[in-house]
Amino acid sequence: MIARLDAAPKVTGQAKYAVDHNFPGMAYGYVVLSTIANGELAAMEVTAARHTPGVLGVYTPFEPLELRTPISQMLGEGWVPLQDKEIAYYGQPIGFVVAETFEAARDAAALIEVSYTERPALTSFAEGLATAEDAKTGPRGAPSLSVLAEGVESIEDALAASEVTVDATYETASQNHAAMEPHSAVAVWNADGLTVYTGNQGSHGPADELAQALNIEHSAVHVVNPYVGGAFGGKGATSTPAFLAAAAARNIGRPVKAALTREQVFTATATRPATVQRVSLGARNDGTLVAVRHDSWSSTPMSRSFIEPTSHGTSREWYATENLAISQKAVPLNIPPTTFMRAPGEAPGSFALESAVDELAVALNMDPIGLRKRNNSAAPPGEDLQWSSKHLDECFDIGAARFGWSERTPGGRVDGDWLVGLGTATAMFPGLRFPATVGITLRADDTAVVATSGADPGTGLLTVLSLIGAESLDISPEQVTPRLGDSALPPGGTSGGSTATASAGSATMVAASTVIDELLRLASSPGGPFDGRETAYADGRVFADGRVFADGESMTFGEVLRAMERISLTATGSTAPGEERTKHSFGSWGAQFCEVRVHRLTREIRVSRLLGVFDAGRIINPTAARSQLLGGMIWGVSAALHEGLDVEANGRFANADLAGYLVPVNADIPEIDTHLVEYPDTLLSNVGARGLGEISIVGVAAAIANAVYNATGIRLRRIPMMLEDLLED
């Protein structure tokens, strides 16, 4: 076990984030945003701004920076600012001012007069439901799915034939990632091309998108992002500041720094969609599920950039059932882009499904854990591919014992003025792996570098690379220097989908095996230290403890390199999802437990205890794993009780700042604990690890709502939960 390698630089202020980079002659950019939600730019009067002292350039769709639309392999067709006059949402980037100082750029931007040809805007999700359309396009959009037992003609028939049914509608609010580091970039051009410092969940992706947008060779773009101040899905694509800073720096011939203000982050980036979900469950009297129907509606911008896959991310996989029907519809609105946010689909989807399962348990007069265990799935409904590894029942058993679940009573208990209740919910997130390449360099000083272009947006990947690299090379972690966040390194993909450990870790193992083979060939080559000798260890190994063995003698890899007058030896390893997907289904699992206290007079809800028990395969770094899990569970509390974007009729976010957009503080978070059941899943990857960064948010909001019901007898079907939702008429 080693301390997190980036901890000291971050807490001491030595870590350099994007805007911490400064260069001689650097200018500053400020983004201008629209103040209508639908229409067209008629004119932009920029004379006053252009003549403001210190201003170097003013760019608008009438006098744009030259940018082309990039196409991302993961996200599809992107969007670049200032290329047309159409306005699709309030807060859309429509201008960019570059000046000698940030203040000069900001003040000049305020002088720009904008005229619009305004059209009626549809900004209300509730009103937009009437315009919903099938979500068959866009990232994670999927068509309807129906799995029916033989002889059953429709899901309605299956529900009607069920002995006990539950049918309810649930709502989740739109959310913003609200990462501590605003989206930003510093762009520098020189004879070799463009270097951009920007916080992103990868570096190869932004390098490719910038190359396309600027119409230059990919090799001429260098993206650097060793430190990322939070991302959660919101920094998967190249940001508006990066495109504008790069284009403006080329235009004026000077480095340009651009950063969104906190308010701008809420519209000039992307958000989690709002959802409405109808869940219908049918069961026999013994609790066996007969039918599950999950119909979902997701808000989406007019571009249909992203659909929240709530029904496909939960009901399609979580429980065994004889009949299943799920559908997903999109509600196009004049709102900012939507995108992936921690556990996209599963987080909001679990609130609806796990609340409905709790409602079914009440209707059956059955223990909620017993109901979940009775319907535990061996494979997704309608599929033959069984889960590679699943220990959900053990998670519930351990959690119930540790949390004191046996003391729960149907009506909760009273503690003075507080009504106390317990709730639980299932957590699940798919086990995924992305393509990744890792390079390993052995050095003559007996150290090694493990490098890939992926990013560590706070997940602990840097330390994981060190640990897996050391294990694979059979040396100590102190001998390994991990490197991340640089597009000049081997392509490591995007840190998203809880894939980084399984993806980069697997590639590290391949790279280690390859570089060791290269070292052995070098050692036994003509003129090498083991030329003509059998390289073998006592038990048949030829490489162990960082040493090459032959005829009872050994040399460290550094000694071999020095003997051959080499300063280093490098090899790469690549892995990608393969045929394992045709043999098994993969997922991480967990059980969430919550205790709430509801004041009998004020109806204030306080979460007083939380416990999460998770099955995520092998755990590489228990300390970092616990940190990730706690962070996700805290975010679950935030989603349940705090977070929600309020959209005014004109499309403006009423709470686009960290005063109005509520997130938890220390006083909001109670006693919280986690437990990991560790069963390495080598069917997913040689590392044996599955993702755990996202699973920990899943199910928390439902567990809280279920605990509130246990305490009060009032079922809350909307998050964030409000005091008024608990007030009796």
Side-chain angles (χ1 to χ4, degrees):
M1 181 57 53
I2 61 174
R4 186 164 166 154
L5 298 179
D6 55 351
K10 287 182 175 179
V11 300
T12 58
Q14 298 178 61
K16 294 187 71 172
Y17 294 85
V19 294
D20 293 327
H21 292 83
N22 297 298
F23 297 91
M26 187 170 67
Y28 297 80
Y30 190 88
V31 180
V32 181
L33 305 182
S34 69
T35 55
I36 67 167
N38 188 25
E40 185 177 358
L41 288 169
M44 293 182 71
E45 176 52 59
V46 301
T47 303
R50 184 165 286 140
H51 288 91
T52 298
V55 168
L56 302 170
V58 179
Y59 307 100
T60 71
F62 298 93
E63 299 176 87
L65 289 161
E66 184 179 349
L67 289 166
R68 299 187 177 190
T69 301
I71 298 176
S72 164
Q73 186 174 4
M74 176 177 289
L75 301 175
E77 185 172 289
W79 180 84
V80 289
L82 315 190
Q83 300 309 297
D84 63 64
K85 302 178 182 65
E86 286 295 313
I87 303 298
Y89 57 93
Y90 193 109
Q92 176 179 317
I94 59 172
F96 192 56
V97 179
V98 180
E100 297 285 357
T101 66
F102 169 81
E103 291 78 10
R106 179 196 60 196
D107 294 347
L111 299 176
I112 296 176
E113 298 178 5
V114 184
S115 300
Y116 303 95
T117 301
E118 192 169 1
R119 296 189 290 265
L122 181 58
T123 60
S124 168
F125 186 38
E127 294 176 5
L129 290 172
T131 66
E133 58 190 40
D134 288 340
K136 295 182 179 180
T137 59
R140 300 194 77 176
S144 299
L145 172 68
S146 180
V147 177
L148 300 175
E150 186 176 354
V152 177
E153 294 188 1
S154 70
I155 193 67
E156 288 78 14
D157 290 344
L159 288 165
S162 300
E163 294 171 335
V164 180
T165 59
V166 164
D167 186 353
T169 299
Y170 307 87
E171 301 176 34
T172 66
S174 180
Q175 302 170 354
N176 188 267
H177 304 77
M180 290 181 67
E181 176 197 27
H183 297 63
S184 55
V186 176
V188 184
W189 290 83
N190 58 31
D192 296 325
L194 169 68
T195 298
V196 175
Y197 302 85
T198 183
N200 196 277
Q201 291 172 235
S203 53
H204 259 82
D208 181 60
E209 292 175 10
L210 285 166
Q212 292 183 60
L214 296 164
N215 195 27
I216 59 177
E217 293 295 325
H218 186 282
S219 59
V221 181
H222 182 202
V223 170
V224 183
N225 61 332
Y227 294 101
V228 183
F232 319 114
K235 294 177 181 173
T238 304
S239 67
T240 289
F243 284 123
L244 293 177
R250 178 169 65 176
N251 188 265
I252 68 172
R254 292 171 57 175
V256 172
K257 175 186 291 188
L260 298 178
T261 66
R262 177 59 60 186
E263 184 176 4
Q264 289 176 336
V265 166
F266 281 84
T267 65
T269 59
T271 62
R272 188 198 292 277
T275 76
V276 169
Q277 304 171 60
R278 181 184 178 187
V279 179
S280 305
L281 304 178
R284 299 187 179 93
N285 286 325
D286 65 359
T288 303
L289 279 172
V290 175
V292 175
R293 182 178 67 190
H294 192 163
D295 300 319
S296 298
W297 292 261
S298 167
S299 64
T300 190
M302 290 300 176
S303 64
R304 281 76 165 170
S305 61
F306 179 81
I307 313 300
E308 190 80 22
T310 46
S311 52
H312 290 76
T314 51
S315 296
R316 188 175 66 87
E317 298 179 327
W318 286 28
Y319 293 109
T321 183
E322 300 168 22
N323 302 279
L324 171 69
I326 56 179
S327 70
Q328 184 76 60
K329 291 186 179 295
V331 180
L333 300 172
N334 293 111
I335 58 172
T338 53
T339 192
F340 305 92
M341 185 183 284
R342 196 170 196 167
E346 287 78 15
S350 65
F351 171 68
L353 179 62
E354 289 302 287
S355 294
V357 170
D358 198 74
E359 296 199 49
L360 181 61
V362 172
L364 289 163
N365 193 27
M366 188 173 182
D367 179 74
I369 293 179
L371 176 61
R372 288 173 170 84
K373 292 174 68 173
R374 177 175 291 276
N375 294 287
N376 194 358
S377 66
E383 296 186 18
D384 296 328
L385 301 181
Q386 293 195 342
W387 300 112
S388 60
S389 178
K390 183 180 182 182
H391 301 274
L392 179 58
D393 284 358
E394 183 175 345
C395 292
F396 273 114
D397 290 342
I398 292 172
R402 289 187 54 175
F403 207 68
W405 186 259
S406 61
E407 300 175 8
R408 176 184 180 272
T409 59
R413 63 183 177 87
V414 178
D415 181 10
D417 283 337
W418 295 90
L419 309 178
V420 184
L422 302 183
T424 191
T426 297
M428 185 270 181
F429 193 78
L432 304 172
R433 187 156 63 91
F434 290 165
T437 300
V438 171
I440 293 183
T441 298
L442 301 179
R443 290 173 166 172
D445 62 358
D446 281 311
T447 64
V449 176
V450 180
T452 186
S453 69
D456 186 343
T459 56
L461 179 59
L462 197 72
T463 308
V464 164
L465 282 183
S466 177
L467 291 169
I468 297 178
E471 177 182 271
S472 303
L473 295 170
D474 203 9
I475 59 179
S476 71
E478 289 75 20
Q479 292 175 262
V480 177
T481 300
R483 293 185 60 199
L484 280 169
D486 190 323
S487 63
L489 301 176
T494 297
S495 288
S498 293
T499 63
T501 296
S503 303
S506 297
T508 299
M509 295 175 71
V510 174
S513 177
T514 303
V515 80
I516 289 171
D517 287 343
E518 292 292 327
L519 178 72
L520 296 176
R521 278 193 284 270
L522 182 66
S524 60
S525 64
F530 296 126
D531 182 4
R533 301 165 64 182
E534 282 291 326
T535 53
Y537 191 43
D539 62 0
R541 289 180 292 164
V542 293
F543 186 86
D545 301 319
R547 306 179 72 89
V548 178
F549 290 82
D551 297 335
E553 297 182 11
S554 70
M555 298 177 69
T556 68
F557 64 81
E559 289 172 335
V560 171
L561 293 175
R562 294 195 296 271
M564 299 299 291
E565 298 183 345
R566 297 278 297 269
I567 61 173
S568 65
L569 179 66
T570 299
T572 61
S574 300
T575 61
E579 64 176 9
E580 75 274 1
R581 294 285 167 186
T582 65
K583 298 179 179 179
H584 295 92
S585 298
F586 300 95
S588 290
W589 303 89
Q592 305 278 16
F593 292 84
C594 173
E595 178 187 83
V596 301
R597 302 169 69 84
V598 181
H599 197 278
R600 68 181 183 86
L601 298 177
T602 67
R603 294 307 196 178
E604 176 189 4
I605 302 172
R606 302 291 298 181
V607 176
S608 48
R609 283 194 296 143
L610 281 176
L611 171 66
V613 184
F614 302 99
D615 165 28
R618 180 190 172 198
I619 305 303
I620 305 300
N621 186 343
T623 302
R626 174 178 168 81
S627 176
Q628 281 288 289
L629 294 172
L630 293 178
M633 293 170 69
I634 290 169
W635 199 339
V637 174
S638 185
L641 301 178
H642 301 87
E643 288 188 69
L645 285 167
D646 297 322
V647 186
E648 297 178 345
N650 66 351
R652 176 182 178 271
F653 287 153
N655 57 337
D657 54 54
L658 292 183
Y661 184 81
L662 302 181
V663 295
V665 297
N666 286 345
D668 295 308
I669 303 303
E671 174 188 337
I672 179 171
D673 200 5
T674 66
H675 181 91
L676 286 155
V677 299
E678 191 170 353
Y679 295 91
D681 188 352
T682 54
L683 294 174
L684 176 64
S685 71
N686 290 335
V687 176
R690 293 195 303 267
L692 53 70
E694 298 182 79
I695 187 176
S696 51
I697 189 177
V698 181
V700 174
I704 294 173
N706 296 339
V708 169
Y709 176 82
N710 180 238
T712 66
I714 300 174
R715 179 67 64 179
L716 301 184
R717 300 188 179 97
R718 177 179 61 195
I719 57 173
M721 306 172 200
M722 302 293 187
L723 295 180
E724 53 266 33
D725 297 333
L726 286 170
L727 295 176
E728 299 177 355
D729 295 334

